[in-house]
């Protein structure tokens, strides 16, 4: 600790400020270094002959212009007070555990390892089922254009089918053509379009992701939720491929005892369209409160890709200089989309969707 005396190059205010900040820092470090030996600390700074406080103040005051003596004196006084305070309360500046007032006999603070959120867990489970069937994963943007979210999926502008998927639209888009206006995507289906414009068949993809709708939050609805979409396009894809694939997926997710049934439904981008129901996993189809005494639980939407969708895709491919690849005369496909929250709620018997977003540890810990 035999440092030489630091130089003070100028007596103006900023230089003094900086020089004394460095000294104060020196006091703190030496206090920590000599925590076990306060007397050494005292001698180092306040020793009558060789103490640094004396040596430095003499050196700096000697060549100080008259008007700098007062500010220098004030600062040396403050430094001295800091040194004396460190001597009186070594605990606050020293580094040994005892000096820091740490009780080393207390049990340590345990930090629980994190776990995947139950929604992500279910989403991964669904995706994995399709990975095993040879599907790969595709993702798309949550802020989507009207073209991908609606128009290419055969929801014409102003068509009433759009009312079922009301959403938040991005402000200040009025000057853009309506197909370019941005909105929060209402489903993962726009990624079907993005994928087909990008790639020619065969296609087998799953699309997990976040979607948005203008729905009031209640026990089973949330304005932001998650879907897993699927798309399979190739030659000779039929409705029985769709049925077999989804029957397998439901058995993989809910157990081999579940049955599936397909109900006619409507989506603008599939024809024919169906809703898939599974036999109630709570009562094995006998009828209970959970399945409203029907024995069946409605789970997802699906259907054969509408030729109008293929036409929109090929039109866009051509516009981008790509060869058309989706002639419905020799290409067919199916698509499906399911809500992740709904599936997770059924898997775990959760009655309120809000639990997923509350961040309540008592809820989340149950999935560790
Ligand atoms: N996109 C539809 C929805 O969100 C679900 C769906 C996907 C239906 C694919 C058919 C085919 O309601």
């Amino acid at each position: 600790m035999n440092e030489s005396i630091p130089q003070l190059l100028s007596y103006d205010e900023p230089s003094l400020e900086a020089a004394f900040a460095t000294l104060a820092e020196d006091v703190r470090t030496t206090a920590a270094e000599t925590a076990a030996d306060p007397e050494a600390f005292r001698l180092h700074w306040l020793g009558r002959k060789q103490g640094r406080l004396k040596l430095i103040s003499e050196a700096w005051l000697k060549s100080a212009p008259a008007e700098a003596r007062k500010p220098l004196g004030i600062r040396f006084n403050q430094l001295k007070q800091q040194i004396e305070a460190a001597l009186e309360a070594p605990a606050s500046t020293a580094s040994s555990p005892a000096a820091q007032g740490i009780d080393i006999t207390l049990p340590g603070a345990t930090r629980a390892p994190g776990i995947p959120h139950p929604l992500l867990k279910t989403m991964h489970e669904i995706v994995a089922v399709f990975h095993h069937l040879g599907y790969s994963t595709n993702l798309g943007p949550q802020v989507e254009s009207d073209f991908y979210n609606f128009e290419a999926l055969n929801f014409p502008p102003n068509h009433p089918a759009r009312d079922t998927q009301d959403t938040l639209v991005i402000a200040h888009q009025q000057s853009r053509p309506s197909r370019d206006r941005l909105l929060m995507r209402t489903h993962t289906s726009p990624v079907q379009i993005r994928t087909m414009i990008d790639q020619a068949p065969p296609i087998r993809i799953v699309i997990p992701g976040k979607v948005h709708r203008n729905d009031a939050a209640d026990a089973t609805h949330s304005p932001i939720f998650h879907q897993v979409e699927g798309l399979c396009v190739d030659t000779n894809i039929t409705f029985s491929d769709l049925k077999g694939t989804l029957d397998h997926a439901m058995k993989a997710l809910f157990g081999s005892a579940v049955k599936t049934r397909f109900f006619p439904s409507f989506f603008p981008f599939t024809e024919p369209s169906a809703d898939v129901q599974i036999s109630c996993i709570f009562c094995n189809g006998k009828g209970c409160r959970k399945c409203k005494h029907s024995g069946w639980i409605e789970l997802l939407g699906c259907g054969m890709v509408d030729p109008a969708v293929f036409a929109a895709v090929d039109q866009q491919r051509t516009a981008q200089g790509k060869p058309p690849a989706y002639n419905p005369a020799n290409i067919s496909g199916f698509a499906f989309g399911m809500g992740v929250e709904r599936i997770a709620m059924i898997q775990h018997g959760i009655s309120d969707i809000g639990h997923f977003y509350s961040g309540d540890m008592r809820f989340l810990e149950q999935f560790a």
Side-chain angles (χ1 to χ4, degrees):
M1 284 194 289
N2 267 331
E3 298 99 315
S4 57
I5 302 305
Q7 294 281 312
L8 185 62
L9 297 176
S10 158
Y11 287 89
D12 59 26
E13 192 62 21
S15 309
L16 289 184
E17 194 67 43
F20 277 88
T22 311
L23 285 180
E25 185 53 38
D26 273 357
V27 170
R28 276 191 290 274
T29 7
T30 43
E33 282 165 9
T34 56
D37 188 356
E39 180 56 14
F41 174 73
R42 196 190 63 76
L43 273 177
H44 176 75
W45 284 101
L46 303 178
R48 233 172 335 132
K49 289 211 177 109
Q50 291 300 308
R52 281 179 72 69
L53 189 64
K54 181 172 156 45
L55 296 178
I56 297 173
S57 60
E58 274 177 359
W60 289 4
L61 280 166
K62 198 166 58 194
S63 48
E67 70 276 11
R69 293 183 162 265
K70 194 172 169 199
L72 264 176
I74 292 174
R75 288 194 152 86
F76 275 118
N77 257 332
Q78 287 169 342
L79 192 66
K80 189 170 181 204
Q81 281 167 12
Q82 188 197 345
I83 296 164
E84 282 165 349
L87 273 170
E88 275 165 32
S92 62
T93 43
S95 66
S96 81
Q100 284 177 4
I102 292 173
D103 182 351
I104 57 169
T105 63
L106 285 174
T110 48
R111 205 176 274 241
I115 53 145
H117 189 277
L119 274 180
L120 276 185
K121 220 163 135 184
T122 296
M123 193 143 101
H124 287 152
E125 262 175 59
I126 301 168
V127 164
V129 168
F130 290 96
H131 281 180
H132 284 117
L133 294 175
Y135 286 58
S136 41
T137 300
N138 240 7
L139 302 174
Q142 285 179 53
V143 180
E144 190 51 283
S145 74
D146 185 283
F147 175 76
Y148 288 108
N149 195 81
F150 289 125
E151 206 179 308
L153 287 162
N154 201 26
F155 292 79
N158 303 317
H159 193 280
R162 290 185 174 214
D163 294 352
T164 62
Q165 301 198 3
D166 187 17
T167 185
L168 288 172
V169 296
I170 310 297
H172 310 307
Q173 305 273 302
Q174 289 82 344
S175 60
R176 295 184 158 199
S178 77
R179 56 157 52 185
D180 294 339
R181 292 187 193 162
L182 299 175
L183 42 82
M184 302 308 292
R185 70 175 177 194
T186 59
H187 50 176
T188 39
S189 303
V191 189
Q192 289 187 30
I193 306 296
R194 291 181 171 275
T195 307
M196 289 191 279
I197 290 173
D198 207 45
Q199 295 166 228
I203 285 180
R204 281 168 183 76
I205 50 157
V206 270
I207 305 148
K210 196 170 281 190
V211 301
H212 302 70
R213 289 198 195 170
N214 181 12
D215 282 341
D218 63 21
T220 53
H221 293 85
S222 158
I224 302 175
F225 61 105
H226 300 78
Q227 291 186 330
V228 176
E229 184 100 4
L231 176 69
C232 167
V233 184
D234 206 337
T235 51
N236 298 318
I237 300 294
T238 67
F239 200 88
S240 44
D241 296 313
L242 169 59
K243 286 187 77 173
T245 302
L246 289 181
D247 186 71
H248 165 81
M250 293 304 115
K251 287 181 161 67
L253 287 172
F254 295 103
S256 54
V258 302
K259 297 189 186 68
T260 53
R261 67 178 189 182
F262 290 69
F263 256 61
S265 183
F266 174 78
F267 300 100
F269 42 95
T270 48
E271 178 62 30
S273 305
D275 282 332
V276 182
Q277 304 180 346
I278 61 168
S279 53
C280 180
I281 58 163
F282 302 104
C283 62
N284 291 322
K286 284 189 208 62
C288 65
R289 250 187 41 201
K290 291 252 165 67
C291 60
K292 301 199 186 90
H293 304 282
S294 71
W296 297 89
I297 295 178
E298 195 175 304
L299 219 52
L300 69 145
C302 65
M304 302 306 291
V305 180
D306 194 305
V309 172
F310 287 147
V313 165
D314 262 350
Q315 200 180 24
Q316 198 63 23
R317 285 176 62 91
T318 312
Q320 295 181 10
K322 297 188 177 108
Y326 291 87
N327 180 353
N330 44 47
I331 290 295
S332 56
F334 63 76
F336 55 86
M338 54 190 106
V340 178
E341 278 80 352
R342 182 158 166 75
I343 292 182
M345 286 168 83
I346 293 170
Q347 276 180 329
H348 302 295
I350 297 164
S351 53
D352 187 341
I353 199 171
H355 287 310
F356 289 126
Y357 318 118
S358 68
D360 189 333
M361 291 296 284
R362 292 166 301 179
F363 172 74
L364 295 171
E365 272 167 2
Q366 298 178 54
F367 302 91

